[in-house]
Amino acid sequence: MFVVVGVTGGIAAYKTVQLVRLLVKAGHEVHVVPTDDALRFVGLPTWEAISRHPVTTSVHDDVARVRHVSLGRAADLVIVAPATANTLAKMTAGLADDLLGTTLLATTAPVVVAPAMHTEMWQHPATADNMRVLRDRGVVVVGPEEGELTGGDSGPGRMSEPEAIIEAALAAAALTAGDLEGLRVVVSAGGTREPIDPVRYIGNRSSGRQGVAVALAAAERGADVVLVAAHVDDGVLTDAPAGGRIRVVRAGTAAELGAAVASEAGAADVVIMAAAVADYRVAQVSPTKRAKEAAPEGGITLDLVENDDILAGLVRTRPPGQIVVGFAAETPGDGETLLDRGRRKAARKGTDLLAVNEVGWSQGFESGHNAVTIIDAAGEIVGARRGSKRDVADALWDAVLAVRAKK
Ligand code: CTP
């Protein structure tokens, strides 16, 4: 891959030497475009030696080969690391007063930035506004990480590690050549919250990580994704570099989630229900906060009524050819295996695929890892994966593609 690495004037530029080295080692053609300021931190000979290509900062060098646009046109991927507050502001405004600026304007390749600056600068409303604009334009933002900064202070502002930047950058580049290209998918994620009164609810421990990973994996493999998100933990959604391919619809209760999924599902090729949907809601939601003094002594009883099964409803009303996938979170016990329970659930709901995973007090929730067995409509095992939630998501999409191939 033809990768342009923009380097701007921050001390973290020394880490970018390693980033370039890793990209070259992985077989990519890397062209480094530093700003003049960047060269005060790491000199031109280092960049030339490490990238094995000539390096210049100015639009007035190598004019015969229209270098100011040729690099941007040739790029399959542009990474800016470190990206200073100044450079991010220039990118937002579209300024092109140096070779990096012209390259960024001339490219249609995915752009990945790794900001690095002091916490105050990162948190300044000007920078926050710029980041919003850049994200909306599809720029993928990696970091910054929380940690010690050069002034001895600490907070968000450290540039992410080269390995993390490369992982996100390669994923962004894969967007343009994915095996889910052209598919429209709906994914639900997170846990619903069923109100008791204006301040209390019945919820569950779902963090949303698995569902968001399923949505991200789909987007990174080329699909257009609608993510119907119930409650997800802080950071789970904002960490997701959507690359412009994920539209997020928010839902609170099971009924809201059901309505949102139903209205999006009509146009979808695949629907995956990864949300933890409450089976019951409170029969009489109190319009005011329930007060203890109004309650009977010793305890209260809440009447619960059953919610519709969204997944089973989707299967009943789906358009021809649509693939519907569920998750089954099971706790082992009662002399029945997880798979027995999963098979009965798949039969009951009519899913094309069901990802069965074991949950427990210390398993399945709020962590980055998961283990699933995937069964098809006949209850046959068609996949199994233990690993990161992203690995599990990829295994699920592989299984979806296999079902599509058979249909
Ligand atoms: N689900 C749904 N609507 C509900 C309950 C669950 O669409 N009202 C979906 C979930 O999103 C998941 C699948 O059904 O994809 C299985 O959820 P799970 O809670 O394991 O199944 P339940 O039907 O609730 O069965 P049980 O709680 O008895 O195991």
Side-chain angles (χ1 to χ4, degrees):
M1 201 161 30
F2 191 111
V3 187
V4 171
V5 176
V7 188
T8 73
I11 186 68
Y14 79 90
K15 291 208 256 182
T16 308
V17 177
Q18 171 70 352
L19 181 138
V20 172
R21 204 178 74 86
L22 290 173
L23 285 170
V24 171
K25 223 171 130 191
H28 300 292
E29 179 175 346
V30 183
H31 293 262
V32 179
V33 183
T35 59
D36 283 330
D37 255 10
L39 296 182
R40 298 170 78 102
F41 294 92
V42 177
L44 202 132
T46 303
W47 298 121
E48 292 199 331
I50 208 92
S51 71
R52 301 173 199 161
H53 287 289
V55 170
T56 164
T57 62
S58 162
V59 290
H60 305 299
D61 296 328
D62 207 7
V63 178
R65 278 192 284 166
V66 272
R67 197 167 167 82
H68 71 292
V69 289
S70 62
L71 278 177
R73 281 189 188 146
D76 300 307
L77 171 67
V78 180
I79 302 172
V80 184
T84 58
N86 182 54
T87 296
L88 293 164
K90 283 171 68 176
M91 285 174 72
T92 308
L95 292 185
D97 58 353
D98 58 9
L99 186 59
L100 181 58
T102 56
T103 302
L104 283 163
L105 282 189
T107 196
T108 54
V111 176
V112 177
V113 297
M117 65 197 76
H118 282 279
T119 305
E120 296 83 345
M121 297 173 79
W122 175 248
Q123 288 173 343
H124 193 282
T127 307
D129 282 351
N130 292 337
M131 296 318 296
R132 204 167 308 123
V133 171
L134 292 173
R135 279 198 172 97
D136 283 354
R137 283 186 200 151
V139 170
V140 174
V141 182
V142 187
E145 310 294 327
E146 188 119 3
E148 205 172 304
L149 304 170
T150 37
D153 49 339
S154 71
R158 275 170 71 95
M159 187 174 93
S160 296
E161 293 306 313
E163 292 78 6
I165 299 169
I166 290 174
E167 192 186 338
L170 295 183
L175 266 176
T176 46
D179 54 1
L180 301 179
E181 197 72 52
L183 278 194
R184 287 159 306 175
V185 310
V186 176
V187 178
S188 71
T192 65
R193 289 180 165 181
E194 307 301 319
I196 299 169
D197 65 23
V199 296
R200 305 183 180 95
Y201 59 83
I202 299 175
N204 59 65
R205 286 177 56 203
S206 171
S207 66
R209 280 194 182 82
Q210 183 62 75
V212 170
V214 169
L216 260 179
E220 287 176 9
R221 290 168 67 162
D224 283 316
V225 184
V226 179
L227 173 63
V228 180
H231 172 78
V232 298
D233 281 1
D234 280 352
V236 171
L237 260 184
T238 46
D239 284 352
R245 290 207 191 216
I246 302 183
R247 179 160 60 84
V248 180
V249 178
R250 297 278 182 169
T253 62
E256 286 166 10
L257 188 104
V261 171
S263 84
E264 299 291 344
D269 301 297
V270 185
V271 183
I272 298 192
M273 284 291 297
V277 183
D279 288 327
Y280 301 95
R281 67 180 177 277
V282 177
Q284 293 286 331
V285 178
S286 169
T288 52
K289 188 181 163 202
R290 290 171 68 116
K292 219 164 143 189
E293 62 179 16
E297 215 161 292
I300 59 161
T301 305
L302 284 175
D303 279 331
L304 302 178
V305 288
E306 199 171 331
N307 282 327
D308 289 340
D309 189 318
I310 302 167
L311 185 56
L314 284 167
V315 171
R316 272 197 307 275
T317 57
R318 67 172 150 189
Q322 184 183 75
I323 295 173
V324 181
V325 181
F327 271 81
E330 307 291 353
T331 48
D334 300 342
E336 205 183 20
T337 67
L338 292 188
L339 273 182
D340 292 335
R341 291 181 65 86
R343 286 191 176 110
R344 282 200 288 117
K345 196 168 279 185
R348 197 167 70 234
K349 302 204 183 207
T351 47
D352 293 298
L353 293 170
L354 189 72
V356 184
N357 68 318
E358 185 174 334
V359 290
W361 293 111
S362 58
Q363 205 175 355
F365 297 112
E366 296 149 10
S367 95
H369 284 76
N370 205 357
V372 298
T373 304
I374 303 167
I375 54 177
D376 67 8
E380 297 293 328
I381 296 177
V382 293
R385 189 69 65 92
R386 174 182 297 276
S388 69
K389 287 186 171 172
R390 173 55 195 258
D391 289 340
V392 166
D394 278 324
L396 197 57
W397 286 114
D398 291 345
V400 167
L401 284 177
V403 172
R404 267 179 73 82
K406 274 196 221 146
K407 277 207 173 184

